[in-house]
Each structure stands twice: as C-alpha cells, then as structure tokens.
Amino acid sequence: MRVDILTLFPDLFAHFLKESILGRAIKKELLDIQITNIRSFATGPHRTVDDRPYGGGDGMVLKPGPIYRALQSIERETGKSSVLLLSPQGRTFNQSAAWELSRKEHLILICGHYEGIDERIRTHCVDMELSIGDYVLSGGELAAMVVVDVVSRLVPNVLGGERSNLEDTFEDGLLEYPHFTRPKVFKDLEVPEVLLSGNHELIRVWRRTESLKRTLERRPDLLYKAKLTEEDRRILAQLQVEPRG
Ligand code: 9D3
C-alpha cells in the first residue's frame, strides 16, 4: 500500500515512520509512505500557503492552489487515488473504517491546520473526511499518524511475528483480560492462583470471564455489539447480565 501525506509540518513524521512495526513494513516494501510539504507547491517569493478568509473573521485559511498542485503532482505519478482530509468535521475513524481503507492500493491524506482549508478542495478533491474523535487537536498531523498506524496493521504481512490483529480488542469486540508476569508477589499483591495452576482450560475460561466483566463495567456499548459465543452468554448469565440480541 502507498500512502502520501500532505502537510505543512513534514518533520513531525520522521520518528513515527522509523518506529518498529511501521519501520519494518516500510523496509520490507509492504508500505510506501511519502511525505509532501504543501509549501513546496506554493508560488511567489514568500511561498504563501494561507490567506485571510473572504467575509472576514479571525484566523487564516489554507489556499486551494498549493494543495491542488500537490495532489496533481502525486496523482500524475500514481493515477487516481482516494483522497482523505483529516478534519474535526469528518466521520469518526474506527476499526471498521480502518478495514475499509486497508483494502485501497493508494491513499492521500491531507492534514488541515489553522481555521481550515478552502472549501473548494473539500468539495472537489476530497473523497472522505475523517476525524479521530471529539477533542481539539492543533492540526491534522497526529490524526494522520493515528490513521496510518491503525490501517497499516491491517495490511497483509505488516504484522509479522506480532499477535494477529484478530486477537486485538475491537476485533472480537471485547476488552482484554488482565495480564501478569513475574514476580509471583509484588508489594503484597499476588497473581491470581488460576494462572499458576497449569490448567489451560481453567485459564481460558478465567480470561474470557475477566474480558467480559471488564467490557461490561467499562464499555457496555461494546459488549452489546460483540460477537458472543454460547459460552460467553453462559458466563454473562452467571454474572447476572442479560445479553441483548
Ligand atoms: C480553532 C479552530 N476551531 C474552530 C472551532 C476549528 C478547528 C480547526 C482545526 C479545530 C481544530 C483543528 C485542528 N484539528 C484537526 O485538524 C483535526 C482533528 C481534531 O482536532 N480532532 C479530531 N480529529 C481531527 S482530524 C484533524
């Protein structure tokens, strides 16, 4: 998969792209991630990328020209691609949006900034607008990193030795059970006896029960959407919960 990121702050991406899983996927050529500085497509002696809003008001708006020329330059090389705009007005990104994006051969991510970007880019060049959640970031760069990180893990062979993403929270729809490692006693706190028992079936049932309890307490919204087995329903019944559906 190829991902192009259009940004005014290209330096923010360097360390992120060297990081373990992503760095290795890039080295293995499973991912090709290209960072484009929008400013390199600006014109004039000052290489201006933003301007005052028509109609007045505070703040600046990203000019359409530089972003448009950056998109053209990339698509001349790759052909038509899916263009995503990171913005607080977008559809909230989640694991199922990530699966959808992971099936694309090429993505272009535009990082917004300032008060926003000229509306004509949004209406004529952007295929999908994505937010990563209900909080205010300073710009789209962190959001782009979140999207690249989540989507990359779903690209075939990117997760090499790591746990399969099927085991992850949000894939089976439940939160994880608690984890323990040595020592057996830490500050008077003991590891649950069952984990030392060597009884794999007992351990499996204990973990599933803890997952269900934790999801019920912290994220009941997830529990009602989760893929529950007959055993899960039995466990929930013992926990005195009536599962829906
Ligand atoms: C001060 C400007 N705000 C007026 C109410 C609007 C605004 C514009 C741009 C607020 C934040 C930003 C920068 N954020 C993003 O570009 C962004 C974002 C976010 O802030 N939250 C969640 N997801 C995303 S994706 C891009």
Side-chain angles (χ1 to χ4, degrees), residues 6 12 14 25 37 42 46 49 54 71 115-116 179 192 212 227:
L6 273 53
L12 289 177
N37 189 341
H46 303 294
V49 293
Y54 276 121
L71 288 173
E115 290 301 291
H179 301 281
L212 289 163
K227 298 170 198 138

Side-chain angles (χ1 to χ4, degrees), residues 5-181:
I5 301 173
L6 273 53
T7 173
L8 288 170
F9 301 93
D11 294 347
L12 289 177
F13 292 88
H15 290 290
F16 167 68
L17 295 176
K18 278 190 302 190
E19 184 261 355
S20 60
I21 291 177
L22 236 46
R24 196 187 53 211
I26 291 166
K27 205 177 262 168
K28 289 202 296 185
E29 298 187 2
L30 300 168
L31 292 176
D32 174 10
I33 301 184
Q34 299 294 329
I35 310 297
T36 296
N37 189 341
I38 294 169
R39 196 174 295 280
S40 52
F41 290 90
T43 54
H46 303 294
R47 308 236 132 203
T48 313
V49 293
D50 58 353
D51 205 343
R52 300 188 339 261
Y54 276 121
D58 290 334
M60 300 291 269
V61 177
L62 288 182
K63 293 161 69 64
I67 295 176
Y68 186 77
R69 288 189 290 276
L71 288 173
Q72 292 282 297
S73 158
I74 292 164
E75 287 188 335
R76 257 201 306 277
E77 202 182 310
T78 64
K80 176 72 190 111
S81 164
S82 290
V83 177
L84 313 183
L85 173 64
L86 285 316
S87 106
Q89 284 90 46
R91 146 185 178 201
T92 309
F93 183 66
N94 61 16
Q95 196 70 26
S96 104
W99 275 111
E100 207 176 292
L101 295 178
S102 74
R103 290 186 273 273
K104 309 273 188 192
E105 197 43 56
H106 183 205
L107 299 172
I108 303 179
L109 275 54
I110 305 173
C111 302
H113 241 272
Y114 304 82
E115 290 301 291
I117 77 171
D118 188 284
E119 184 67 12
R120 292 162 292 185
I121 290 294
R122 196 194 307 273
T123 52
H124 283 75
C125 307
V126 170
D127 297 300
M128 192 194 298
E129 223 174 317
L130 285 177
S131 160
I132 59 163
D134 294 339
Y135 34 77
V136 181
L137 298 170
S138 305
E141 283 76 14
L142 277 171
M145 291 187 219
V146 167
V147 170
V148 167
D149 190 78
V150 177
V151 171
S152 295
R153 299 168 56 81
L154 304 178
V155 171
N157 303 319
V158 165
L159 286 191
E162 280 76 16
R163 292 152 59 257
S164 84
N165 40 53
L166 288 175
E167 284 174 50
D168 280 3
T169 304
F170 298 121
E171 293 298 349
D172 84 344
L174 296 181
L175 300 183
E176 278 195 28
Y177 53 78
H179 301 281
F180 295 89
T181 186

